[in-house]
Amino acid sequence: MKSPLHRFAYFSAGVVFAILWASASAATKIGLQSAQPFVIAIARFAIASAIMLGIAHLVMRQPLPSGKTHWQQLFIYGLFNVSLYLGLYVLAMEEVSAGLGTLFVATNPVLIMLINTLWYRQPVSLSSILSFVLCIAGMLLAAYPLFETSYATWLGIGILFLSMLAYSVGAIYFARRKWDGLHILTINGWQTLIGGVCLLPCLFLSFEYSANTFDVRWWSAVLWLAIPVSVFAVLIWLYLLRDNPIKASAWLFLCPIAGFAIAAILMKEPLSWHTLGGVLLVIAGLYLVQRMRRPGRKRQ
């Protein structure tokens, strides 16, 4: 039986993870007030990868990836999980609210489950379809009033969905590959660096010096995204997964609530009954996926 101290540590870690993960959207929106999307993204990836690779190879003395297979897998994973996912995400945040961005991110488990089922040609259950429909309905409901107040556009919604699709494909690819004992910090560090390098052509083609002000707001946003979000939140997530993978995914339920609260406080974004209804529908969709993942539970 786990001690009260362990339960308190687990609970605290879950709350901190949800807040940090949800804060990424607001931090991105703040950074976009001072700089272009790819300027923010590549600076974030450079700092985060340097920290993770420094810890992995200089402090922990982990071996470097070796052989064609390792580097090929890191390239593909970095392309989907960083270049496409976060590259599209930072573009979308120019068009949608921070709260809506967090709501989309929270639906990733549902999208991963559905894509995985279709990819491996497994029967699609009624629960899978229902969870997906609930999440889509929730996101559209939360977005509805934002179109009238210029806090969201259909272009932004489309880019955001493509971003989540790229993340889901990357997550499935990562889970299905053999990494031959590579430490998770080694994998994350290199895929973040590779993903950032792949975005450099986008930066060179779109860069306008006059559109970027490297002020305190820009540095605050980039450092927050690089260290608390890309490093600490990922490490906390790994701790939660190691302790109990089923319980860990339940903390994703808190992310959209925390995301809208942070956006309302920092960005003065509007909250409405549409917001509440949308969040509840997404949480219901996530709950269905949570139930389906429980070991020993028959799929419906």
Side-chain angles (χ1 to χ4, degrees):
M1 187 175 178
K2 294 176 180 177
S3 68
L5 182 60
H6 180 274
R7 290 197 295 269
F8 176 76
Y10 179 86
F11 177 81
S12 300
V15 172
V16 171
F17 163 76
I19 293 172
L20 290 179
W21 206 243
S23 70
S25 297
T28 302
K29 293 289 286 187
I30 291 170
L32 286 170
Q33 295 175 20
S34 297
Q36 293 176 282
F38 294 124
V39 174
I40 296 169
I42 291 176
R44 168 191 181 180
F45 302 149
I47 295 170
S49 62
I51 292 172
M52 288 187 283
L53 292 176
I55 294 173
H57 298 309
L58 300 180
V59 178
M60 300 176 66
R61 302 292 182 181
Q62 291 293 322
L64 290 166
S66 59
K68 179 181 177 180
T69 301
H70 274 173
W71 290 110
Q72 184 180 59
Q73 290 181 179
L74 286 169
F75 175 81
I76 295 173
Y77 184 43
L79 182 65
F80 279 99
N81 196 55
V82 174
S83 303
L84 293 175
Y85 165 46
L86 292 175
L88 289 169
Y89 180 80
V90 74
L91 285 176
M93 293 313 296
E94 287 191 306
E95 302 287 335
V96 302
S97 70
L100 199 58
T102 305
L103 190 63
F104 267 72
V105 171
T107 65
N108 275 327
V110 176
L111 199 55
I112 289 171
M113 175 272 302
L114 187 61
I115 292 174
N116 190 67
T117 300
L118 295 174
W119 194 332
Y120 292 96
R121 299 179 181 177
Q122 299 170 353
V124 180
S125 67
L126 180 61
S127 294
S128 301
I129 297 172
L130 183 57
S131 63
F132 181 72
V133 170
L134 285 171
C135 286
I136 293 296
M139 290 184 295
L140 292 177
L141 180 61
Y144 176 74
L146 300 178
F147 290 113
E148 298 179 355
T149 54
S150 300
Y151 279 94
T153 66
W154 283 112
L155 175 62
I157 296 291
I159 296 174
L160 202 51
F161 182 77
L162 290 176
S163 168
M164 299 306 112
L165 192 63
Y167 175 83
S168 301
V169 172
I172 295 169
Y173 179 83
F174 172 79
R176 295 288 177 170
R177 299 278 81 79
K178 293 182 179 179
W179 295 94
D180 300 324
L182 277 183
H183 194 274
I184 192 65
L185 272 179
T186 302
I187 297 171
N188 275 337
W190 282 107
Q191 66 99 13
T192 301
L193 180 60
I194 291 169
V197 170
C198 289
L199 279 179
L200 284 176
C202 298
L203 172 64
F204 294 145
L205 290 172
S206 64
F207 184 75
E208 295 179 18
Y209 187 81
S210 61
N212 299 278
T213 304
F214 302 102
D215 52 12
V216 173
R217 184 167 50 194
W218 182 82
W219 278 106
S220 299
V222 168
L223 290 175
W224 183 266
L225 289 167
I227 302 173
V229 177
S230 292
V231 179
F232 290 142
V234 170
L235 291 177
I236 294 172
W237 178 244
L238 294 175
Y239 162 75
L240 295 171
L241 286 175
R242 191 179 299 116
D243 185 87
N244 190 318
I246 303 301
K247 288 174 63 178
S249 59
W251 289 107
L252 293 171
F253 295 174
L254 187 58
C255 287
I257 299 172
F260 274 105
I262 292 170
I265 294 170
L266 296 182
M267 311 299 299
K268 309 300 181 184
E269 292 183 0
L271 296 176
S272 66
W273 289 109
H274 292 85
T275 305
L276 177 61
V279 168
L280 290 177
L281 285 174
V282 168
I283 289 176
L286 290 173
Y287 177 70
L288 283 178
V289 172
Q290 176 82 348
R291 290 185 62 193
M292 290 169 61
R293 287 181 172 182
R294 287 178 183 172
R297 186 177 181 86
K298 293 182 180 179
R299 291 183 179 271
Q300 296 178 358

PDB file of all heavy atoms in Angstrom, residues 57-78:
ATOM      1  N   HIS A  57      23.709  13.276 -21.980  1.00  0.00           N
ATOM      2  CA  HIS A  57      25.046  12.826 -22.389  1.00  0.00           C
ATOM      3  C   HIS A  57      26.180  13.312 -21.490  1.00  0.00           C
ATOM      4  O   HIS A  57      27.181  12.608 -21.328  1.00  0.00           O
ATOM      5  CB  HIS A  57      25.306  13.275 -23.832  1.00  0.00           C
ATOM      6  CG  HIS A  57      24.343  12.675 -24.822  1.00  0.00           C
ATOM      7  ND1 HIS A  57      24.082  11.325 -24.892  1.00  0.00           N
ATOM      8  CD2 HIS A  57      23.576  13.258 -25.792  1.00  0.00           C
ATOM      9  CE1 HIS A  57      23.203  11.095 -25.847  1.00  0.00           C
ATOM     10  NE2 HIS A  57      22.874  12.250 -26.407  1.00  0.00           N
ATOM     11  N   LEU A  58      26.035  14.484 -20.879  1.00  0.00           N
ATOM     12  CA  LEU A  58      27.108  15.010 -20.048  1.00  0.00           C
ATOM     13  C   LEU A  58      26.938  14.648 -18.575  1.00  0.00           C
ATOM     14  O   LEU A  58      27.933  14.348 -17.890  1.00  0.00           O
ATOM     15  CB  LEU A  58      27.195  16.538 -20.193  1.00  0.00           C
ATOM     16  CG  LEU A  58      27.482  17.058 -21.600  1.00  0.00           C
ATOM     17  CD1 LEU A  58      27.534  18.582 -21.613  1.00  0.00           C
ATOM     18  CD2 LEU A  58      28.796  16.476 -22.134  1.00  0.00           C
ATOM     19  N   VAL A  59      25.691  14.665 -18.092  1.00  0.00           N
ATOM     20  CA  VAL A  59      25.448  14.361 -16.679  1.00  0.00           C
ATOM     21  C   VAL A  59      25.201  12.863 -16.469  1.00  0.00           C
ATOM     22  O   VAL A  59      25.843  12.228 -15.630  1.00  0.00           O
ATOM     23  CB  VAL A  59      24.244  15.176 -16.152  1.00  0.00           C
ATOM     24  CG1 VAL A  59      23.958  14.824 -14.687  1.00  0.00           C
ATOM     25  CG2 VAL A  59      24.508  16.672 -16.296  1.00  0.00           C
ATOM     26  N   MET A  60      24.272  12.296 -17.251  1.00  0.00           N
ATOM     27  CA  MET A  60      23.910  10.889 -17.075  1.00  0.00           C
ATOM     28  C   MET A  60      24.815   9.938 -17.856  1.00  0.00           C
ATOM     29  O   MET A  60      24.731   8.722 -17.671  1.00  0.00           O
ATOM     30  CB  MET A  60      22.459  10.679 -17.499  1.00  0.00           C
ATOM     31  CG  MET A  60      21.456  11.505 -16.705  1.00  0.00           C
ATOM     32  SD  MET A  60      19.762  11.318 -17.328  1.00  0.00           S
ATOM     33  CE  MET A  60      19.457   9.596 -16.953  1.00  0.00           C
ATOM     34  N   ARG A  61      25.651  10.487 -18.728  1.00  0.00           N
ATOM     35  CA  ARG A  61      26.595   9.683 -19.529  1.00  0.00           C
ATOM     36  C   ARG A  61      25.887   8.635 -20.387  1.00  0.00           C
ATOM     37  O   ARG A  61      26.376   7.509 -20.563  1.00  0.00           O
ATOM     38  CB  ARG A  61      27.618   8.988 -18.621  1.00  0.00           C
ATOM     39  CG  ARG A  61      28.429   9.942 -17.761  1.00  0.00           C
ATOM     40  CD  ARG A  61      29.368  10.780 -18.599  1.00  0.00           C
ATOM     41  NE  ARG A  61      30.186  11.679 -17.786  1.00  0.00           N
ATOM     42  CZ  ARG A  61      31.074  12.530 -18.266  1.00  0.00           C
ATOM     43  NH1 ARG A  61      31.238  12.590 -19.582  1.00  0.00           N
ATOM     44  NH2 ARG A  61      31.772  13.306 -17.481  1.00  0.00           N
ATOM     45  N   GLN A  62      24.741   9.009 -20.913  1.00  0.00           N
ATOM     46  CA  GLN A  62      24.032   8.095 -21.797  1.00  0.00           C
ATOM     47  C   GLN A  62      24.729   8.030 -23.153  1.00  0.00           C
ATOM     48  O   GLN A  62      25.267   9.026 -23.626  1.00  0.00           O
ATOM     49  CB  GLN A  62      22.588   8.576 -21.982  1.00  0.00           C
ATOM     50  CG  GLN A  62      21.724   8.471 -20.754  1.00  0.00           C
ATOM     51  CD  GLN A  62      21.467   7.040 -20.350  1.00  0.00           C
ATOM     52  OE1 GLN A  62      21.276   6.156 -21.199  1.00  0.00           O
ATOM     53  NE2 GLN A  62      21.469   6.789 -19.052  1.00  0.00           N
ATOM     54  N   PRO A  63      24.733   6.847 -23.807  1.00  0.00           N
ATOM     55  CA  PRO A  63      25.382   6.724 -25.117  1.00  0.00           C
ATOM     56  C   PRO A  63      24.628   7.486 -26.196  1.00  0.00           C
ATOM     57  O   PRO A  63      23.418   7.675 -26.106  1.00  0.00           O
ATOM     58  CB  PRO A  63      25.358   5.212 -25.390  1.00  0.00           C
ATOM     59  CG  PRO A  63      24.199   4.708 -24.579  1.00  0.00           C
ATOM     60  CD  PRO A  63      24.156   5.571 -23.348  1.00  0.00           C
ATOM     61  N   LEU A  64      25.362   7.911 -27.209  1.00  0.00           N
ATOM     62  CA  LEU A  64      24.747   8.567 -28.354  1.00  0.00           C
ATOM     63  C   LEU A  64      23.971   7.554 -29.196  1.00  0.00           C
ATOM     64  O   LEU A  64      24.295   6.360 -29.186  1.00  0.00           O
ATOM     65  CB  LEU A  64      25.817   9.218 -29.224  1.00  0.00           C
ATOM     66  CG  LEU A  64      26.526  10.448 -28.660  1.00  0.00           C
ATOM     67  CD1 LEU A  64      27.764  10.757 -29.489  1.00  0.00           C
ATOM     68  CD2 LEU A  64      25.587  11.643 -28.656  1.00  0.00           C
ATOM     69  N   PRO A  65      22.944   7.992 -29.914  1.00  0.00           N
ATOM     70  CA  PRO A  65      22.279   7.088 -30.860  1.00  0.00           C
ATOM     71  C   PRO A  65      23.306   6.580 -31.877  1.00  0.00           C
ATOM     72  O   PRO A  65      24.219   7.313 -32.270  1.00  0.00           O
ATOM     73  CB  PRO A  65      21.231   7.983 -31.536  1.00  0.00           C
ATOM     74  CG  PRO A  65      21.025   9.118 -30.594  1.00  0.00           C
ATOM     75  CD  PRO A  65      22.336   9.341 -29.914  1.00  0.00           C
ATOM     76  N   SER A  66      23.157   5.335 -32.278  1.00  0.00           N
ATOM     77  CA  SER A  66      24.125   4.761 -33.214  1.00  0.00           C
ATOM     78  C   SER A  66      23.405   3.967 -34.294  1.00  0.00           C
ATOM     79  O   SER A  66      22.351   3.381 -34.046  1.00  0.00           O
ATOM     80  CB  SER A  66      25.107   3.854 -32.470  1.00  0.00           C
ATOM     81  OG  SER A  66      24.421   2.798 -31.813  1.00  0.00           O
ATOM     82  N   GLY A  67      23.981   3.978 -35.471  1.00  0.00           N
ATOM     83  CA  GLY A  67      23.423   3.192 -36.563  1.00  0.00           C
ATOM     84  C   GLY A  67      22.334   3.924 -37.325  1.00  0.00           C
ATOM     85  O   GLY A  67      21.719   4.882 -36.847  1.00  0.00           O
ATOM     86  N   LYS A  68      22.107   3.452 -38.536  1.00  0.00           N
ATOM     87  CA  LYS A  68      21.142   4.079 -39.441  1.00  0.00           C
ATOM     88  C   LYS A  68      19.720   4.032 -38.881  1.00  0.00           C
ATOM     89  O   LYS A  68      18.958   4.997 -39.000  1.00  0.00           O
ATOM     90  CB  LYS A  68      21.191   3.372 -40.793  1.00  0.00           C
ATOM     91  CG  LYS A  68      20.217   3.934 -41.816  1.00  0.00           C
ATOM     92  CD  LYS A  68      20.304   3.166 -43.135  1.00  0.00           C
ATOM     93  CE  LYS A  68      19.282   3.688 -44.142  1.00  0.00           C
ATOM     94  NZ  LYS A  68      19.356   2.932 -45.429  1.00  0.00           N
ATOM     95  N   THR A  69      19.362   2.904 -38.229  1.00  0.00           N
ATOM     96  CA  THR A  69      17.996   2.742 -37.723  1.00  0.00           C
ATOM     97  C   THR A  69      17.649   3.788 -36.679  1.00  0.00           C
ATOM     98  O   THR A  69      16.585   4.409 -36.723  1.00  0.00           O
ATOM     99  CB  THR A  69      17.801   1.335 -37.131  1.00  0.00           C
ATOM    100  OG1 THR A  69      18.058   0.359 -38.144  1.00  0.00           O
ATOM    101  CG2 THR A  69      16.380   1.162 -36.622  1.00  0.00           C
ATOM    102  N   HIS A  70      18.564   3.999 -35.697  1.00  0.00           N
ATOM    103  CA  HIS A  70      18.325   4.993 -34.649  1.00  0.00           C
ATOM    104  C   HIS A  70      18.072   6.376 -35.252  1.00  0.00           C
ATOM    105  O   HIS A  70      17.088   7.047 -34.913  1.00  0.00           O
ATOM    106  CB  HIS A  70      19.526   5.074 -33.711  1.00  0.00           C
ATOM    107  CG  HIS A  70      19.477   4.063 -32.608  1.00  0.00           C
ATOM    108  ND1 HIS A  70      20.523   3.855 -31.738  1.00  0.00           N
ATOM    109  CD2 HIS A  70      18.512   3.194 -32.233  1.00  0.00           C
ATOM    110  CE1 HIS A  70      20.202   2.905 -30.883  1.00  0.00           C
ATOM    111  NE2 HIS A  70      18.990   2.489 -31.165  1.00  0.00           N
ATOM    112  N   TRP A  71      18.969   6.806 -36.128  1.00  0.00           N
ATOM    113  CA  TRP A  71      18.874   8.157 -36.677  1.00  0.00           C
ATOM    114  C   TRP A  71      17.671   8.313 -37.596  1.00  0.00           C
ATOM    115  O   TRP A  71      17.033   9.371 -37.639  1.00  0.00           O
ATOM    116  CB  TRP A  71      20.166   8.526 -37.406  1.00  0.00           C
ATOM    117  CG  TRP A  71      21.314   8.714 -36.465  1.00  0.00           C
ATOM    118  CD1 TRP A  71      22.396   7.904 -36.323  1.00  0.00           C
ATOM    119  CD2 TRP A  71      21.466   9.779 -35.509  1.00  0.00           C
ATOM    120  NE1 TRP A  71      23.227   8.390 -35.340  1.00  0.00           N
ATOM    121  CE2 TRP A  71      22.689   9.541 -34.821  1.00  0.00           C
ATOM    122  CE3 TRP A  71      20.713  10.894 -35.166  1.00  0.00           C
ATOM    123  CZ2 TRP A  71      23.155  10.382 -33.831  1.00  0.00           C
ATOM    124  CZ3 TRP A  71      21.167  11.740 -34.160  1.00  0.00           C
ATOM    125  CH2 TRP A  71      22.373  11.488 -33.509  1.00  0.00           C
ATOM    126  N   GLN A  72      17.327   7.248 -38.326  1.00  0.00           N
ATOM    127  CA  GLN A  72      16.146   7.297 -39.187  1.00  0.00           C
ATOM    128  C   GLN A  72      14.883   7.439 -38.347  1.00  0.00           C
ATOM    129  O   GLN A  72      13.992   8.235 -38.670  1.00  0.00           O
ATOM    130  CB  GLN A  72      16.074   6.030 -40.032  1.00  0.00           C
ATOM    131  CG  GLN A  72      14.921   6.023 -41.040  1.00  0.00           C
ATOM    132  CD  GLN A  72      14.887   4.744 -41.852  1.00  0.00           C
ATOM    133  OE1 GLN A  72      14.765   3.646 -41.289  1.00  0.00           O
ATOM    134  NE2 GLN A  72      15.019   4.873 -43.162  1.00  0.00           N
ATOM    135  N   GLN A  73      14.800   6.682 -37.246  1.00  0.00           N
ATOM    136  CA  GLN A  73      13.638   6.753 -36.365  1.00  0.00           C
ATOM    137  C   GLN A  73      13.548   8.117 -35.692  1.00  0.00           C
ATOM    138  O   GLN A  73      12.456   8.686 -35.563  1.00  0.00           O
ATOM    139  CB  GLN A  73      13.694   5.642 -35.314  1.00  0.00           C
ATOM    140  CG  GLN A  73      13.474   4.258 -35.896  1.00  0.00           C
ATOM    141  CD  GLN A  73      13.507   3.155 -34.863  1.00  0.00           C
ATOM    142  OE1 GLN A  73      13.323   1.981 -35.179  1.00  0.00           O
ATOM    143  NE2 GLN A  73      13.766   3.498 -33.619  1.00  0.00           N
ATOM    144  N   LEU A  74      14.678   8.651 -35.260  1.00  0.00           N
ATOM    145  CA  LEU A  74      14.687   9.972 -34.620  1.00  0.00           C
ATOM    146  C   LEU A  74      14.254  11.053 -35.605  1.00  0.00           C
ATOM    147  O   LEU A  74      13.535  11.990 -35.234  1.00  0.00           O
ATOM    148  CB  LEU A  74      16.077  10.281 -34.067  1.00  0.00           C
ATOM    149  CG  LEU A  74      16.480   9.521 -32.807  1.00  0.00           C
ATOM    150  CD1 LEU A  74      17.972   9.710 -32.530  1.00  0.00           C
ATOM    151  CD2 LEU A  74      15.664   9.981 -31.602  1.00  0.00           C
ATOM    152  N   PHE A  75      14.685  10.916 -36.858  1.00  0.00           N
ATOM    153  CA  PHE A  75      14.302  11.899 -37.874  1.00  0.00           C
ATOM    154  C   PHE A  75      12.794  11.870 -38.117  1.00  0.00           C
ATOM    155  O   PHE A  75      12.132  12.918 -38.141  1.00  0.00           O
ATOM    156  CB  PHE A  75      15.046  11.630 -39.183  1.00  0.00           C
ATOM    157  CG  PHE A  75      14.619  12.533 -40.310  1.00  0.00           C
ATOM    158  CD1 PHE A  75      15.122  13.825 -40.412  1.00  0.00           C
ATOM    159  CD2 PHE A  75      13.688  12.105 -41.252  1.00  0.00           C
ATOM    160  CE1 PHE A  75      14.713  14.672 -41.444  1.00  0.00           C
ATOM    161  CE2 PHE A  75      13.276  12.941 -42.275  1.00  0.00           C
ATOM    162  CZ  PHE A  75      13.792  14.232 -42.364  1.00  0.00           C
ATOM    163  N   ILE A  76      12.238  10.677 -38.304  1.00  0.00           N
ATOM    164  CA  ILE A  76      10.802  10.569 -38.578  1.00  0.00           C
ATOM    165  C   ILE A  76       9.985  11.041 -37.373  1.00  0.00           C
ATOM    166  O   ILE A  76       9.011  11.791 -37.518  1.00  0.00           O
ATOM    167  CB  ILE A  76      10.431   9.113 -38.950  1.00  0.00           C
ATOM    168  CG1 ILE A  76      11.110   8.718 -40.271  1.00  0.00           C
ATOM    169  CG2 ILE A  76       8.915   8.946 -39.049  1.00  0.00           C
ATOM    170  CD1 ILE A  76      10.958   7.263 -40.639  1.00  0.00           C
ATOM    171  N   TYR A  77      10.407  10.625 -36.173  1.00  0.00           N
ATOM    172  CA  TYR A  77       9.688  11.031 -34.964  1.00  0.00           C
ATOM    173  C   TYR A  77       9.778  12.548 -34.769  1.00  0.00           C
ATOM    174  O   TYR A  77       8.776  13.207 -34.457  1.00  0.00           O
ATOM    175  CB  TYR A  77      10.267  10.292 -33.757  1.00  0.00           C
ATOM    176  CG  TYR A  77       9.527  10.559 -32.469  1.00  0.00           C
ATOM    177  CD1 TYR A  77       8.131  10.591 -32.430  1.00  0.00           C
ATOM    178  CD2 TYR A  77      10.224  10.772 -31.281  1.00  0.00           C
ATOM    179  CE1 TYR A  77       7.457  10.827 -31.241  1.00  0.00           C
ATOM    180  CE2 TYR A  77       9.555  11.010 -30.092  1.00  0.00           C
ATOM    181  CZ  TYR A  77       8.170  11.027 -30.077  1.00  0.00           C
ATOM    182  OH  TYR A  77       7.506  11.277 -28.903  1.00  0.00           O
ATOM    183  N   GLY A  78      10.958  13.113 -34.972  1.00  0.00           N
ATOM    184  CA  GLY A  78      11.129  14.555 -34.840  1.00  0.00           C
ATOM    185  C   GLY A  78      10.332  15.326 -35.874  1.00  0.00           C
ATOM    186  O   GLY A  78       9.804  16.408 -35.594  1.00  0.00           O
TER     187      GLY A  78
END
